[in-house]
Amino acid sequence: IQLANQIAAGEVVERPSSVVKELVENSLDAGASSIEIDIERGGHKRIRIRDDGTGIPKEELTLALSPHATSKIASLEDLEAIGSLGFRGEALASISAVSRLTLTTKPQAQSEAWSAYAQGREMGVEIEPAAHPDGTTIDVVDLFYNTPARRKFLRAEKTEFQHIEDTVKRIALSRPFITFVLKHNGKVVKRFLGNKKQALENRISQVCGKGFLDQAVYASVEYDGVTLNGWIGARSAMRSSTDMQFCFVNGRAMRDKLLLHAIRQAYETVYCDIEQPSYVLFLNLSPEEVDVNVHPAKHEVRFHNARQIHDLVCKCIQDALVEDEG
Ligand code: ADP
Ligand code: MG
């Protein structure tokens, strides 16, 4: 119970894109190689994620929908060194509490598929036979139907879908070997095919457009177990929006203040008239050096050695920009 409390870091379900993020992360944790994300009306009406991952054995179905049931950690020590993406065991339970959620799944070793849906927190989980290939589909219908206050905060369908698309792009960049298909109202909006060769470069072109890498500067540094590498937009490609700013810490997309500050400072030192820089950066360090359980939606991290990380990132980008200028 204490563990549960420590993990219960607030609400995960802010808006449709947070549902997409949690469910796609579950698919990745389940080893999926292909994930289809089907959205109706900006996610207001439906969010359906289908994967070809391990599936969930019938006897674990009820548990998967229960609060604080995670198959991914056993103790607080594990929490310190989290490898998998999900770790709080509350996503499915939280989402099913504010929507009509159906989970259909078939593990390879099991001959039949089963569907499960939660009938409100008290009434338990209903299970029935279903048809489904190996893998899992999670169908979330009528998000916030029973929480009018939060439903009121949903933005226009277009805006919510934009958030979903951003979320999918971020995750797709962090997993270049995985195929992602994003549909809106029945139409394919994005198709990121998993690559074997030059996977990362191909994926960046798919997500950021073919031109991005041509004009970008490659930056990389390794120091004291910390590595940073990625592509940063040179002056000629400055944009006025933030939609081309991607930062990953140990494979997770982050909008961390410290990193944003370090990047901005590097640009400001080299160019004085900078607007919004574009970049795709990957920071990797030992999991013990970083605390990812700071923010429930996991956008923020806490580096144990914050100053060192900040300066390393700043200097690396600065050097790459200066070299490109010179
Ligand atoms: P967490 O991811 O933090 O463990 P969730 O509530 O997101 O918690 O999921 C609960 C459990 O349900 C997971 O630990 C996992 O065992 C199972 N699960 C959820 N989604 C999938 C999926 N797409 N494929 C296989 N198992 C899944
Ligand atoms: Mg999860």
Side-chain angles (χ1 to χ4, degrees):
I1 292 187
Q2 199 202 4
L3 176 64
N5 288 339
Q6 280 172 279
I7 301 173
E11 287 297 340
V12 260
V13 197
E14 243 174 280
R15 61 196 323 164
S17 63
S18 28
V19 172
V20 170
K21 178 170 186 286
E22 293 293 333
L23 298 184
V24 171
E25 287 185 349
N26 280 346
S27 296
L28 292 169
D29 283 344
S33 62
S34 179
I35 301 173
E36 186 180 304
I37 302 130
D38 226 321
I39 305 299
E40 278 176 38
R41 299 187 34 204
H44 294 200
K45 182 66 203 153
R46 160 170 273 147
I47 297 165
R48 188 172 54 207
I49 315 279
R50 168 185 286 239
D51 70 51
D52 59 354
T54 55
I56 306 172
K58 187 192 173 197
E59 61 276 13
E60 286 171 25
L61 266 180
T62 307
L63 193 63
L65 292 176
S66 315
H68 309 304
T70 176
S71 59
K72 294 165 196 167
I73 47 168
S75 73
L76 266 179
E77 284 89 84
D78 289 0
L79 199 54
E80 298 286 302
I82 290 150
S84 65
L85 295 170
F87 55 85
R88 292 151 299 127
E90 60 178 301
L92 285 187
S94 307
I95 297 165
S96 73
V98 294
S99 68
R100 305 180 214 277
L101 182 148
T102 308
L103 188 167
T104 308
T105 183
K106 179 185 171 304
Q108 210 178 358
Q110 195 177 288
S111 54
E112 343 70 26
W114 291 85
S115 263
Y117 62 95
Q119 306 172 299
R121 286 221 186 245
E122 282 78 42
M123 288 159 72
V125 176
E126 187 90 348
I127 292 184
E128 54 187 48
H132 196 278
D134 291 349
T136 301
T137 295
I138 302 213
D139 195 16
V140 175
V141 174
D142 295 336
L143 184 63
F144 300 143
Y145 78 97
N146 54 357
T147 49
R150 271 201 274 174
R151 191 159 183 94
K152 216 176 71 191
F153 279 102
L154 284 178
R155 296 288 160 246
E157 290 172 18
K158 204 173 150 227
T159 309
E160 294 298 345
F161 185 74
Q162 192 57 55
H163 283 288
I164 291 172
E165 194 176 317
D166 289 347
T167 299
V168 172
K169 282 180 172 178
R170 282 169 205 282
I171 299 176
L173 279 172
S174 72
R175 300 298 185 111
F177 298 102
I178 312 289
T179 291
F180 297 86
V181 177
L182 174 62
K183 292 185 185 172
H184 195 200
N185 298 328
K187 283 202 207 87
V188 174
V189 175
K190 294 284 170 201
R191 191 190 298 275
F192 302 136
L193 291 182
N195 291 287
K196 295 239 154 52
K197 281 191 200 149
Q198 297 240 293
L200 184 56
E201 283 90 337
N202 277 320
R203 179 53 51 87
I204 290 175
S205 296
Q206 288 170 341
V207 173
C208 303
K210 293 229 186 307
F212 176 75
L213 287 180
D214 295 338
Q215 57 76 31
V217 182
Y218 183 70
S220 115
V221 69
E222 177 167 7
Y223 181 78
D224 207 12
V226 181
T227 62
L228 176 76
N229 68 299
W231 286 264
I232 52 184
R235 183 210 284 280
S236 56
M238 292 296 180
R239 302 160 61 92
S240 55
S241 76
T242 57
D243 63 357
M244 223 58 120
Q245 302 182 338
F246 299 101
C247 208
F248 301 88
V249 178
N250 288 349
R252 290 166 193 251
M254 292 295 166
R255 252 166 296 195
D256 185 72
K257 284 203 191 70
L258 179 104
L259 294 175
L260 291 178
H261 183 272
I263 295 164
R264 173 154 288 274
Q265 187 174 315
Y267 272 90
E268 279 172 355
T269 317
V270 181
Y271 311 120
C272 44
D273 57 344
I274 161 213
E275 277 186 72
Q276 290 292 351
S278 52
Y279 49 81
V280 182
L281 288 168
F282 301 88
L283 181 73
N284 287 290
L285 69 172
S286 157
E288 287 93 55
E289 292 292 314
V290 53
D291 184 0
V292 292
N293 202 22
V294 180
H295 190 281
K298 293 179 283 183
H299 286 310
E300 297 248 338
V301 290
R302 190 174 293 138
F303 299 105
H304 295 185
N305 220 333
R307 190 75 234 171
Q308 187 203 325
I309 300 291
H310 178 281
D311 294 351
L312 186 74
V313 170
C314 184
K315 179 150 193 331
C316 173
I317 294 174
Q318 200 177 314
D319 289 351
L321 289 174
V322 167
E323 193 176 321
D324 182 62
E325 284 283 285

